[in-house]
Amino acid sequence: MSAKTILNDASMAFLEKYLNNASPTGYESEGQKIWMEYLTPYVDTFITDTYGTAVGVINPDAPYKVVIEGHSDEISWYVNYISDNGLIYVIRNGGSDHMIAPSKRVNIHTKNGIVKGVFGWPAIHTRMRGKEEAVKIETLFIDLGCNNKEEVEKLGVHVGCVITYPDEFMVLNENKFVCRAIDNRIGGFMIAEVARLLKENGKTLPFGLYITNSVQEEVGLRGAEMITKTIRPNVAIVTDVCHDSTTPMIDKKIEGDTQIGKGPVITYAPAVQNKLRELIVDTAEKNEIPFQRLASSRVTGTDTDAFAYSNGGVASALISLPLRYMHTTVEMVHKEDVENVIKLIYETLLNLENGETFSYFK
């Protein structure tokens, strides 16, 4: 299977719809519905939990359980305070970058629907009288065009409403996917494509496969922490994003040397089970899938950690997609990397033996 033959028109339509839909941490349900609708023809059943993690299952009765996982949530903001003159001050919901916020358009999610607004910022002419004020959380504000707090409240906006950016999917130079929230709905997309390929290629797995789209990764891996206790898997292969360290102002000596267009990134870390990782490396080499390597220190910072240290220890590994401009509205990945991550997970599953224990001492 050539990586260049993986994505089709239906795949791309799903990707665009899925990325454009807002799915902030704690409010992932609409995105999960889109994901489950696409995945339905390729799985036997679904599991969902109290907080919204969705799992498509193939061979649900098999005793040996393998998870492939991404996370569905995107960073956002909360309304934290509404001033008497109708301006809104915010706090983070996940790792939202305050540096990019000034002058951005926003959607405020209310029971009455979307309310439009903008992050305001003083004009340059007014900031040059002495020392400029730095961009900080406490200096950010959203303007809805209202004159006072009462007008804001009449729109249905209140403390606790969640705020997202409206920036939508586009393709640059034919092979670069750009959108907010590629971190990490692209992961949910890639594992769904693995399920599609297994079905369309008539592959029968000797174990249960749990295609898992977790919630609340951006606030501490919480969705994965919950669902792993429900599934109790034997193996977990997690996919997330990592940094392209070749763009300006990034130190490769700190961040490592990874780049979009050069293939999936296989992580070395304490949470990554060595023999499972080597199975993935061997699979990449056998199938001539380009890949890169990355070392993490104490934690990977991904759902890998939640799976690895659950249920007495689950053999876990991380396959990352290199990405530029993480946690901005112009996150960028390479189409060929997306296809090669899908192919690497797919081929690894076909290379995984039923009942494999990945014993540390064998």
Side-chain angles (χ1 to χ4, degrees):
M1 177 180 62
S2 169
K4 294 182 179 180
T5 66
I6 287 175
L7 302 186
N8 58 31
D9 290 344
S11 302
M12 293 303 300
F14 164 56
L15 176 61
E16 183 168 357
K17 181 179 181 180
Y18 187 46
L19 287 178
N20 287 346
N21 175 78
S23 188
T25 301
Y27 299 84
E28 299 93 343
S29 60
E30 292 305 311
Q32 295 290 58
K33 290 175 185 176
I34 293 169
W35 184 80
M36 293 171 71
E37 180 182 19
Y38 180 78
L39 191 62
T40 294
Y42 312 124
V43 299
D44 297 321
T45 189
F46 282 97
I47 298 170
T48 58
D49 71 7
T50 305
Y51 279 86
T53 290
V55 185
V57 187
I58 298 172
N59 301 338
D61 296 327
Y64 192 79
K65 301 175 183 179
V66 177
V67 162
I68 57 174
E69 193 260 8
H71 73 81
S72 61
D73 59 322
E74 65 180 288
I75 56 171
S76 57
W77 302 94
Y78 278 124
V79 174
N80 188 50
Y81 168 69
I82 305 171
S83 70
D84 290 340
N85 63 343
L87 297 177
I88 293 172
Y89 292 81
V90 300
I91 58 172
R92 289 185 173 104
N93 183 18
S96 301
D97 189 347
H98 60 284
M99 295 291 288
I100 71 161
S103 82
K104 292 294 297 181
R105 302 182 184 195
V106 298
N107 289 334
I108 302 182
H109 299 259
T110 77
K111 290 182 179 179
N112 301 328
I114 297 294
V115 174
K116 297 287 186 180
V118 297
F119 271 111
W121 195 246
I124 189 172
H125 316 75
T126 67
R127 304 197 319 264
M128 299 183 70
R129 299 168 187 166
K131 187 177 180 180
E132 288 197 73
E133 182 73 29
V135 181
K136 297 180 288 187
I137 292 286
E138 54 267 33
T139 62
L140 290 177
F141 63 92
I142 291 173
D143 192 335
L144 302 185
C146 294
N147 294 315
N148 50 55
K149 182 176 181 179
E150 289 72 25
E151 287 187 18
V152 172
E153 292 175 338
K154 283 182 180 179
L155 294 173
V157 176
H158 54 77
V159 170
C161 283
V162 72
I163 304 158
T164 60
Y165 296 116
D167 301 67
E168 295 194 335
F169 177 80
M170 65 177 177
V171 179
L172 291 181
N173 196 27
E174 299 185 349
N175 58 15
K176 310 300 190 307
F177 299 157
V178 177
C179 196
R180 61 167 227 295
I182 287 178
D183 176 14
N184 178 38
R185 284 210 288 286
I186 196 74
F189 169 76
M190 292 188 296
I191 59 176
E193 289 298 279
V194 171
R196 175 180 67 83
L197 292 173
L198 289 169
K199 183 75 170 183
E200 292 181 351
N201 294 335
K203 300 297 184 181
T204 300
L205 298 175
F207 46 77
L209 182 64
Y210 291 71
I211 303 100
T212 303
N213 210 14
S214 298
V215 298
Q216 299 198 23
E217 188 273 350
E218 296 291 355
V219 291
L221 322 182
R222 298 308 187 188
E225 180 182 331
M226 290 183 278
I227 200 64
T228 187
K229 295 174 183 177
T230 300
I231 299 172
R232 299 187 65 84
N234 301 94
V235 172
I237 299 172
V238 174
T239 183
D240 208 319
V241 294
C242 65
H243 301 289
D244 178 329
S245 62
T246 66
T247 57
M249 296 184 287
I250 297 178
D251 188 343
K252 292 181 181 179
K253 294 188 294 294
I254 296 173
E255 301 295 340
D257 187 4
T258 51
Q259 183 176 353
I260 65 171
K262 290 194 172 182
V265 178
I266 298 173
T267 296
Y268 290 68
V272 174
Q273 211 278 344
N274 293 339
K275 293 198 172 184
L276 177 58
R277 184 199 60 240
E278 289 309 298
L279 174 68
I280 294 169
V281 170
D282 291 345
T283 299
E285 292 175 341
K286 176 182 175 181
N287 291 276
E288 298 182 346
I289 302 170
F291 69 94
Q292 307 171 77
R293 290 181 168 94
L294 180 67
S296 293
S297 187
R298 291 173 58 87
V299 297
T300 69
T302 72
D303 283 338
T304 312
D305 303 327
F307 280 97
Y309 301 130
S310 71
N311 301 306
V314 174
S316 301
L318 174 60
I319 302 173
S320 296
L321 178 71
L323 172 142
R324 289 181 174 176
Y325 321 125
M326 192 181 296
H327 285 203
T328 73
T329 57
V330 291
E331 294 179 336
M332 179 188 299
V333 295
H334 199 296
K335 178 183 178 182
E336 289 185 7
D337 291 338
V338 172
E339 291 175 315
N340 277 315
V341 169
I342 295 166
K343 183 179 180 182
L344 182 53
I345 297 173
Y346 174 90
E347 295 293 349
T348 298
L349 293 176
L350 297 183
N351 201 30
L352 182 61
E353 295 182 9
N354 186 32
E356 177 68 71
T357 60
F358 294 104
S359 171
Y360 190 80
F361 296 101
K362 289 183 179 179

